[in-house]
Structure formats: C-alpha cells, structure tokens
Amino acid sequence: MAIHQIGIRELVEFLRRTGDLSPITSSDNSMQEGSRIHRKLQKRRPDSYQAEVGLKTAFEFLGDDYVIHGRADGIDYQDDHVLIEEIKTSDLEFKAVPDATIQLYWAQAQVYAYILMTDNDLESLELQLTYVQTPDERITTKRKPYSRKEAETFYNQLIADYQDWLKLRHELDEQRKKTAQALTFPFADYRPGQRQLAVNVYKAIMLEKHLFVEAPTGTGKTISTLFPAIKSMGEALISRIFYFTAKQSTRHVAENTISLMADHGLHLKSITLTAKDKITFAAERDVPPETNPYLVGYYDRIRPAIKDIVEHEDQITKPTIEHYAEKHKVDPFEFSLDVSLFCDVIICDYNYLFDPQVHLQRFFSVPDKQNCFLVDEVHNLVQRSREMYSATLTMKPIDSLVTKLSAKKAANQKVIQKLRSLKRSFKRYSKDAEESPDHQIAQLAPVTNFNATLNDLIGAIHEWLANRKPSDTVDAVVDYYLKCRHYYLISQYYDDAYRTRIINDTTTHDVIFRQFCLDPSKWLKESLDLGRAAILFSATLSPISYYQRVLGNESNSLQMVSASSFPAKNCQVIIANNINTLYANRQQSIQPICQTIATLISQRAGHYMIFFPSMAYLEAVLNQFMDQYPSVHVIRQEADMDNAARQQFLREFQTDPQQTKVGFALLGGIFSEGIDLKNDQLIGVGIVSVGLPGINDEANLIRDYFDQLNHQGFSYAYQLPGFNNVSQAAGRVIRTTTDKGVIVLMDHRFSQARYRNIFPDHWTNVRVINQPDQLKKQLQAFWNSFPN
C-alpha cells in the first residue's frame, strides 16, 4: 500500500479553479515578502491565536492511502468561538481580484475548517479571509460563519471529484507498470557496449546515483537509456521520466524510440513540451490576455480538455497538443504543461529543470524520488548552464523610457524617479571601469546597493503596470522590466563562483553590468538532486572527469565510457603534424592546409567537410583553395543561414555520392554537430586547429577561477571546450556500422601528449604524418583496404 501526500492548496486549485488564465490577475510578491507580511499580522493577534497550524486528514482509495495536509495561517480559540484565518497577499486592489480567485481562497480555508471540526467535534466556526495589498499593505478583512454540515458537504464533493482523477491515474499507472514489466528489448541483439550501458543505467536508478556516460555514435544511446529507465518503472522504482535535450532533432529521436517500444507492447503516456513562442496559436499573438479567447475562461475548460487527450492519446506531440487545444479553445502551451502532470515520460529542453527563470515549479519545487532524469547531449549543458545563471543589464534604454513616460509625467512620476535613480547607480558604480585602460573591470563582490536600487524599480514598475492599458510605452517598459527582474533573480544566486563585470562601452556610450557565473556546478547538482537518479550522456564526453566536475562536482557520481559499436578499422584518424595553426602562423598555414585538403580528397571521390575555428580563417583558405583547384565542387557555410539555406547545404551532401564535393564549415557551428550524413554521404572530415575559443575576457575569468581551484584553468576555459568541438565535428563522418571514413586533424598540437591523452577511447586507429606524401600513402593504404 502506497501513501500519497497531497497539499490542500494544490488540491483546491486543481479541482476548483475557474475563470481566466491571465498574468494581469497574478501577484508578483516574493515568497519572502509574503512570509514577512504573514508573520507581521500573526504577531498582532491575541494570545489565544495559534499561527501556522498543521492540519491533515486521510482517506483510502483503490488500495492506497492519501494524506491531505496543509498549514492554516492562523486559528483563534476564544471560549466557544473558533476562527480560522487565511492570509493572502497581492499587489492588486481587493476589488480587482477576480471572484474566481477569491473563491479559491475561501475553498482552502473550508478544507482547513472541515479537518478542524472533524478532529475536535465542532459544529460551527468562523472563516476569515485577510487580504493584504502590497506594497502599501492595505488590509481587507472578510468573515463568514461555517457549519459542520456545510464543511462535510464541500469536502466530500471535493474528494469525490478527486477520486475520479485518481481512478484515471490508477488505471494509467497499472497499465504502465504491467506493460513495462513485460517489455523486452525491441531489437534482436544488443550492439557492442549497449547491454552494459542499459545495465548501468538500471543500476544507477536502483542505487539513486548520477551516472555520466560517454557513448560513441551508433551505441544507441536513446534506447539504451530509455529502455532500462522504463523497465525500472515496471519495478516501481520510479513513476516519471524526464528526457532533457538541447535540440529539436534529439527530441524527435526520443519520440521515435518511445513509438518503437509502443509497437512492442508498451503503454504509457508521453509528452513533448514545446517552447511557448513555437506553439502559441497565430490568433493569440499580439492579443491582450483579457481578450485572448484561449485564455479567457481557460480554467473552465481545462479539466475536460485534459481528460479528453489523456483518455484518447498515448504519445502526445506538438501536433496532438495543438489539435486538442483548438478543440477545447485552451492555450496550447499552458495546456501542454497541465497535461504533463498526467504523463509518464516528459521530453523537453534542459531549461525546464536547470534554468532558474524557466524551472517547472509543478514538478521541481521539492525533491521527488519518483522522478528520473535522462540528460541527452549533456556536453551542451556546460555553456548553456553558465548563461542560465548569468545576467546582463544595460543603462542605455533608461533615457528612452524616461522620455516616453514624461509625456504623462504626473501619472508616471514614481517610475521616472526610480529609473533615474537606477541610472545614477549605473554611473556611480561604473567609475572604476571608466578610468581603467580598457574601460571595464571584473570584481568578486556583488554590487549590493545597485541591486537594491534595481529591486525598488522592479516594485515601482509592477505596481504601475497594474492599471495600464496596452501601448507602445507599456511594451517598452515591460521589456526593460523583464530584463531587470532577470538580473535581480540571478543576484539571489551570487556567490564566490560569480564575477560582476562592469563595462563602459565608449562606442555606444552605454554602461553594461553583467553577473557572470563561472561555475554553476553547485546549482546543477541541486537540480539533479530533485530526482531519484540522473543519467547524463553524450557521444563526446572526454575526459569524463572534467564533465563530472563542471556538471555537478559530486565525489560519488558514477561514470562509464561505452565501447564503440563500429569496427575500429572503418575509421582512420590522421594527425597532420606539419601544420601550425597558431594565430601568429595563420597566414603561413594556408598553403599547407590547401595542399592537405587536396590530398585528402584526391584518394577517393566522395563528399568531404573541412571545419575551421573562424569565418575569417575559413574564407582565407577557401579563396586560395578555389584559386588553386578551381575544378573542385565547393560548398560553404555562410555567416547567417536561415533554415532553407541550411537544408540546401545538407542536400548537396545527400546527392551524387560519387562526385567529389568539399564543404567548408565552422567548427562548433551548425554543421559540426547534430547532422546525420550516413553511408557515402560523407567519407572524410578535416579539422583545422585544436578548436580553442578565441582569447576573451570571460574565458580568462574562468581560467583564473579554476587555476585557483585545481590548477587546470587553461584546460577548463580553453582546451577542453575547444576539443569538444573537435570531437563533435569528427563524429560526423562515421554514423552507421557500414560507414567508412577518414578524419584529418590539421594541427601539430594534436600530436602532443596533452591532446593525445584526451582523445576519445574509440579513436584507436591514429596515425601521425609529417609531410603530404606520407598523408597520401596513409590514405591510399586505408582506402585500398575497402575496394569499391
């Protein structure tokens, strides 16, 4: 028998919420501010008053126990008179709060009343709603008598409604467990390394560990992680899987994998969450919430919409969400989030777990051992997470906002004053940057007074927005307001792993404040700890110890390097030791690179890609190569390519495999990762340089930080991020067990121990050449072993 804990507030909101979904009716009060007001009011109450009284009741249903629990803000016992107080805070005037919201407030108090009257055999009591409008703390108090009979009727109906949903959830759970137990691996055989990967994933879930996995292309990472995770569902170790990805393409792979297991008898509910701007209906765009037909009355239609889709669909993708959202006239993005509560597998972007601004409170407000996290292509999370926990704010928009607001100066005076105060703060704390030689500084200490001034502005704008009608001025203020809020949110995470950058941009006459997170591993670990286990995997995770450090820094996390599924003889790695791509030698390197490319493509007709660390370097080599070899069919990556141009670039490699074509592309760019050119669509890759990021101020800050911590600053800031780009680009050439191809590393540094030591384990067939003739012989030997 399982015991389920259900919060009173969550129960009431799910079952009794009605009306519109609109940000206008929401509060911006922080939890800390609300708690402060609660404590302030509670201290004013008489001695007979008890604050924060825990209450709970329980019922049994379908073999499980359900504990309904909550904390009443206050209970006042005076002689025979008992009063339950519910305190709510918001920046809206009481009269502006929708009646549907007021009824939710009362409903929460009514559940407390039922429990209190049942436990103490009371026939009646009084309910009090105390509403505090911030920031002026204007108090509105409403009271009403409440009888035990009323309480029993309300509570019994609430639980009866809830049991309808529990029955649905129970049926889905039983179906998932039964079919997950019976599920067998959906292929006749495991690939090399695949069985061990699946076993290790299952063990990590059972042992409640974080497992880092490097699994080369072709290992079948998606099925090898999802299958054991789903089998653990059959053993009731977990009940929900989150599959986190960085790219749309990997989301589709996860969807296809679930579909494959469904074809083999698995029945569960999966959903793919799509970013708000990519799923919002066209009819909703630029429409105020109060007139948006998909938001107005949202909560009156959402429960039938959820039941409809859950009862009729198993695999819920973007088109499925859009179909049912249109059918029930609900906003598709919000609908998808609400439906996800009834799903067993949730496929979504990293930011839903790791980004403090997007974090899904409905799943990740407290740790839950029933959740398992699968994090795909996790090498992307290193840089992504630094940006998630960093924030930038500029001074320049302030003057324009003040000008716009001054058109109605009297009505906007408070916001104008706060904006001017923030501008003075920008100037005051940027004096040291202004006087420095490069007009910027980086400091460990946060600019606390600046943040306090910023918080005052945020409060003033939020209060001002409550009574504004849509306009260009309001849109401009909201845009800056959101940036301010983000900056202030990040200031709450500031610690020794941060630096504040203050930049005086003399070109734009702007002042830029940036809170830069050097090491978000502490916050990533906290996020990962919200589930029972986490599997973090990628084809490129060398050295794995580096990723363990920067993606959680746990001493007891597990690691695995999976064997490659491909025959080692099918891929030849060649280091062109005669090429020096150091910046000072770039001009002299162009001719040897052109000659190396010509030699590479001369030994077998086919498709090749050459990757460069910068567009300038690419263009310099490309221009000379085309002059020297005008008959070669060349395709180049442009600086800005829309989706149509990207697809056209790739189509060149998907046709005419016997015609020699050479693609010139950026290392770390859109064609060096996530593209799948199989068989003879790509037979060779050349990589120019070791991929080091250009020297820059933020990488130098990372370098200095890790030098102090572990004496590996250059490695963490430059070498390893750069080498990951190399590994990803190299991974384009071998995609299936029948692929054959060559990887030419054009930089003498690749032959040095500090790089050879971090080569992936599956790079077993490595040769070093010192001159073009040796390259030609090596390529001839390789291709002669595979006659056409």
Side-chain angles (χ1 to χ4, degrees), residues 567-574 600 603-604 608 683-684 733-734 739-743 765 767 774-787:
K569 65 183 181 67
N570 284 16
C571 180
Q572 177 72 67
V573 180
I574 301 172
L600 169 63
Q603 301 310 302
R604 176 161 292 195
Y608 297 83
I683 65 169
V733 76
I734 300 291
D739 283 12
K740 302 167 188 66
V742 294
I743 300 164
N765 196 9
R767 297 289 183 270
Q774 291 178 327
L775 174 62
K776 182 177 181 179
K777 291 177 182 177
Q778 192 64 56
L779 290 168
Q780 286 176 343
F782 175 76
W783 288 120
N784 286 342
S785 64
F786 302 107

Side-chain angles (χ1 to χ4, degrees), residues 210-430:
H210 299 163
L211 170 65
F212 288 78
V213 179
E214 181 176 69
T217 299
T219 308
K221 298 184 292 296
T222 308
I223 187 66
S224 302
T225 53
L226 267 172
F227 174 72
I230 287 169
K231 292 299 291 182
S232 73
M233 283 179 158
E235 301 303 319
L237 293 175
I238 58 172
S239 61
R240 186 177 281 118
I241 297 167
F242 289 87
Y243 194 100
F244 296 106
T245 72
K247 295 183 176 65
Q248 197 70 37
S249 58
T250 44
R251 263 161 256 176
H252 294 321
V253 173
E255 290 172 351
N256 294 337
T257 303
I258 292 170
S259 181
L260 172 67
M261 288 186 280
D263 291 341
H264 284 73
L266 178 66
H267 288 285
L268 52 67
K269 303 294 176 182
S270 69
I271 188 168
T272 303
L273 298 182
T274 304
K276 186 177 180 71
D277 63 335
K278 289 183 171 62
I279 200 172
T280 300
F281 289 137
E284 295 186 89
R285 299 190 186 279
D286 302 320
V287 176
E290 60 270 22
T291 60
N292 183 331
Y294 297 92
L295 296 180
V296 174
Y298 175 89
Y299 290 110
D300 301 324
R301 301 185 295 273
I302 187 58
R303 285 178 286 275
I306 293 172
K307 189 163 284 191
D308 189 11
I309 194 171
V310 169
E311 288 180 340
H312 294 97
E313 304 290 344
D314 282 346
Q315 198 166 355
I316 302 170
T317 58
K318 179 185 175 184
T320 313
I321 284 288
E322 290 174 330
H323 170 73
Y324 282 88
E326 185 60 62
K327 176 181 177 181
H328 291 274
K329 285 292 183 290
V330 291
D331 175 77
F333 176 71
E334 296 292 341
F335 178 46
S336 69
L337 296 182
D338 287 332
V339 172
S340 68
L341 290 166
F342 292 85
C343 292
D344 309 298
V345 180
I346 299 172
I347 303 166
C348 57
D349 189 87
Y350 295 155
N351 57 14
Y352 287 112
L353 174 63
F354 298 108
D355 191 330
Q357 192 169 224
V358 186
H359 187 83
L360 284 178
Q361 286 293 331
R362 66 190 68 206
F363 291 116
F364 307 131
S365 57
V366 294
D368 187 345
K369 295 294 186 183
Q370 291 298 302
N371 290 339
C372 173
F373 304 144
L374 306 181
V375 190
D376 196 359
E377 302 294 347
V378 73
H379 63 274
N380 288 297
L381 187 56
V382 179
Q383 185 56 32
R384 281 276 300 271
S385 62
R386 281 201 179 106
E387 284 306 310
M388 288 174 186
Y389 283 92
S390 299
T392 303
L393 193 65
T394 64
M395 183 184 74
K396 195 165 188 178
I398 293 177
D399 286 342
S400 174
L401 291 175
V402 168
T403 300
K404 290 176 184 292
L405 291 165
S406 294
K408 296 182 179 179
K409 194 168 185 178
N412 303 331
Q413 188 60 40
K414 186 174 181 180
V415 174
I416 292 171
Q417 287 176 348
K418 297 298 182 182
L419 283 166
R420 285 174 171 162
S421 179
L422 184 65
K423 182 177 180 179
R424 288 193 297 271
S425 197
F426 265 113
K427 287 184 168 294
R428 182 182 310 122
Y429 295 107
S430 64

Side-chain angles (χ1 to χ4, degrees), residues 210-214 536 544 547-548 551 557-560:
H210 299 163
L211 170 65
F212 288 78
V213 179
E214 181 176 69
L536 304 96
I544 208 164
Y547 290 95
Q548 286 178 293
L551 295 175
S557 63
L558 308 176
Q559 62 169 268
M560 174 190 179

Side-chain angles (χ1 to χ4, degrees), residues 87-100:
I87 303 171
K88 296 297 182 183
T89 63
S90 170
D91 39 34
L92 295 176
E93 289 185 61
F94 183 76
K95 64 182 181 182
V97 180
D99 184 62

